[in-house]
Amino acid sequence: MSVAVQGATGKGSREREQRPGLLERVKRSYTKHWYAYAMIAPVVLVLGALVIYPLVEGLWLTLTDANSLNVARKIGVNEIPASYEFVGFHNYADILWGPGSYDRFWSHFVWTIAWTAVCVFLHYTLGLGLALLLNQKLRGRAAYRMLLILPWAVPTFVTVFSWRLMLADGGVVNSALSLLHLPEPGWLTDPWAQKAAAVMVNTWAGVPFMMISLLGGLQSIPAELYEAAEMDGASAWQRFRYVTLPGLRSVSSTVVLLGVIWTFNQFNVIFLLFGSGAPDAQLLVTWAYRLGFGQIPRDYAQSAAYGVILLSILIVFTAFYRRWLARNEQANG
């Protein structure tokens, strides 16, 4: 028995010693799968040019004091070389706990978190409610579905500009409130009303996506489950809780994650609705744009640092969210 074990051990050690190196394995893989490498090469090049290079360049800018006055530029026929310097993590420290960090970062961070939570909650609940209605046997269901998806199909700038006209003083919204003898907020001027207007417009634009996604999930749930639950005497609420929601778990987890990422980085609604004004309603992403392109001098380093912070927040959230989902699946499994 000991001889057999020793022989097996010696054989395994010889196999490990004879294992080819990394370069040899890459060469063999390329020889065997050269066609696959040729197919993915254009994608890798495009991703490298459009994603990896800008990301690396942005990371480098965050470690400098680059702005529009010290970067390389050309004035007439004169080429002025870059004169910005390496400052390490000074930009991150200045943003997170430097002088005025609450007004420059933390106030926008709190509003961005609140904006994301409220909008995604409204997107999901309203989208689920509409999906449940459209999943019923209604006359004219196709027409309702087409009308409800229009806010998502229309280009964002058309939707936002239309809402901006309706929310203006003397617009349709305030005129309707006046007829009902209700207060007429300054939707585009008052800080709290601006936030409410932004949530309302983003909800209008985002609900159709949730509705269509959840409607597809509802239609994939076997009808036999509802029939069995009904035969067991389950109420409508019990069927919704124990059949519909578990059946939508995979779809819901995906659309909620996408909704959080899109809403957290929602630039179009805020910028098109308020422009460079409404400082209290600015999200982190619009504030980063303002630093990099909406002021003189343009602070490229701080703007890039905001972008890296945004990316880091979303990466951490996604990691915890996926871990939470996996834990729930294990508990329910």
Side-chain angles (χ1 to χ4, degrees):
M1 180 65 69
S2 61
V3 173
V5 171
Q6 291 176 0
T9 305
K11 182 179 179 180
S13 63
R14 287 195 300 271
E15 288 180 352
R16 285 195 296 270
E17 291 176 357
Q18 296 174 358
R19 185 180 181 184
L22 176 61
L23 184 61
E24 182 64 24
R25 294 200 303 272
V26 171
K27 186 183 297 185
R28 291 181 182 179
S29 176
Y30 176 77
T31 303
K32 185 177 180 181
H33 306 291
W34 65 268
Y35 185 78
Y37 283 102
M39 290 294 100
I40 66 173
V43 178
V44 173
L45 292 176
V46 171
L47 289 177
L50 298 182
V51 178
I52 299 176
Y53 174 74
L55 180 60
V56 173
E57 182 70 15
L59 288 172
W60 162 246
L61 286 177
T62 65
L63 304 177
T64 68
D65 60 351
N67 57 51
S68 57
L69 301 179
N70 57 22
V71 296
R73 58 198 182 280
K74 186 174 182 180
I75 302 178
V77 295
N78 299 320
E79 294 187 3
I80 302 176
S83 59
Y84 57 83
E85 298 178 352
F86 178 81
V87 296
F89 295 99
H90 171 75
N91 289 311
Y92 297 102
D94 182 57
I95 290 172
L96 296 176
W97 54 77
S101 59
Y102 177 80
D103 294 329
R104 293 184 293 113
F105 176 79
W106 291 109
S107 61
H108 300 293
F109 173 77
V110 172
W111 162 233
T112 302
I113 296 297
W115 148 274
T116 303
V118 171
C119 287
V120 173
F121 174 77
L122 291 175
H123 288 170
Y124 185 82
T125 53
L126 294 177
L128 179 59
L130 292 173
L132 289 171
L133 289 176
L134 292 178
N135 198 40
Q136 304 298 319
K137 294 181 179 180
L138 300 174
R139 181 177 298 178
R141 182 172 57 177
Y144 294 145
R145 188 180 305 176
M146 183 185 66
L147 290 175
L148 290 172
I149 203 175
L150 278 179
W152 186 56
V154 173
T156 305
F157 75 93
V158 175
T159 300
V160 177
F161 284 155
S162 300
W163 273 100
R164 184 168 181 171
L165 290 175
M166 292 190 293
L167 293 172
D169 294 336
V172 174
V173 176
N174 279 351
S175 297
L177 293 175
S178 178
L179 291 175
L180 298 173
H181 304 287
L182 295 175
E184 302 177 31
W187 298 106
L188 304 179
T189 55
D190 180 72
W192 285 104
Q194 288 171 340
K195 294 180 178 181
V199 170
M200 183 165 51
V201 174
N202 192 57
T203 300
W204 169 268
V207 164
F209 169 77
M210 287 284 186
M211 178 191 70
I212 293 299
S213 301
L214 294 173
L215 180 59
L218 287 173
Q219 293 177 347
S220 67
I221 299 175
E224 292 80 5
L225 296 179
Y226 290 102
E227 295 174 358
E230 192 171 358
M231 292 179 62
D232 290 339
S235 64
W237 166 249
Q238 289 174 328
R239 292 196 299 270
F240 173 76
R241 180 178 178 183
Y242 296 107
V243 178
T244 302
L245 289 182
L248 290 176
R249 185 178 292 117
S250 60
V251 176
S252 298
S253 61
T254 302
V255 296
V256 168
L257 179 59
L258 291 176
V260 169
I261 295 173
W262 291 342
T263 307
F264 194 84
N265 284 324
Q266 181 57 264
F267 176 84
N268 297 335
V269 170
I270 301 296
F271 184 77
L272 294 176
L273 197 59
F274 306 117
S276 58
D280 292 332
Q282 297 295 322
L283 305 175
L284 287 175
V285 64
T286 57
W287 190 256
Y289 173 85
R290 183 175 181 178
L291 290 175
F293 301 97
Q295 66 178 23
I296 300 297
R298 299 176 177 178
D299 197 338
Y300 299 136
Q302 289 260 335
S303 180
Y306 270 84
V308 172
I309 292 173
L310 285 170
L311 177 62
S312 302
I313 293 172
L314 289 176
I315 290 175
V316 171
F317 168 78
T318 303
F320 278 99
Y321 181 75
R322 290 176 62 87
R323 183 176 299 179
W324 176 74
L325 288 177
R327 189 179 304 163
N328 283 348
E329 289 179 0
Q330 291 178 357
N332 295 327

